Amino acid sequence: AILIAMREYFAEHPDHRAWDDDVKATGPRSAIANWQLIATNKQTGQKHHRKGLESVVFDDDGLIVQIRVTDSK
């Protein structure tokens, strides 16, 4: 279901661009990033601009174990 939703989103928003404005370590195995995205709905031409905060926690091997995304629009 997740892959289907992702395929549908990118089919509708083929110009999707996302980036991080700022990334900071918050501990030995955690970080936060201010992110933004811009995408245009190919059917309506409506532009979407979203931004927010993402926090990531890593395990001892450097693998991601938790992601929290806050959308501040």
Side-chain angles (χ1 to χ4, degrees):
I2 293 170
L3 290 175
I4 290 169
M6 296 289 286
R7 284 187 197 110
E8 289 174 357
Y9 171 81
F10 286 107
E12 286 295 315
H13 303 86
D15 70 341
H16 172 97
R17 294 182 321 270
W19 64 93
D20 294 327
D21 292 319
D22 188 31
V23 179
K24 294 180 186 174
T26 57
R29 292 188 303 269
S30 60
I32 58 170
N34 291 309
W35 59 269
Q36 292 191 56
L37 73 80
I38 296 175
T40 307
N41 184 300
K42 75 176 186 178
Q43 300 297 321
T44 67
Q46 182 179 6
K47 290 208 179 272
H48 300 280
H49 181 208
R50 295 174 55 195
K51 60 184 177 177
L53 183 68
E54 180 176 71
S55 62
V56 182
V57 178
F58 304 91
D59 67 12
D60 290 336
D61 295 321
L63 300 174
I64 296 171
V65 294
Q66 183 179 46
I67 300 174
R68 290 188 182 161
V69 179
T70 304
D71 192 338
S72 61
K73 285 210 172 192

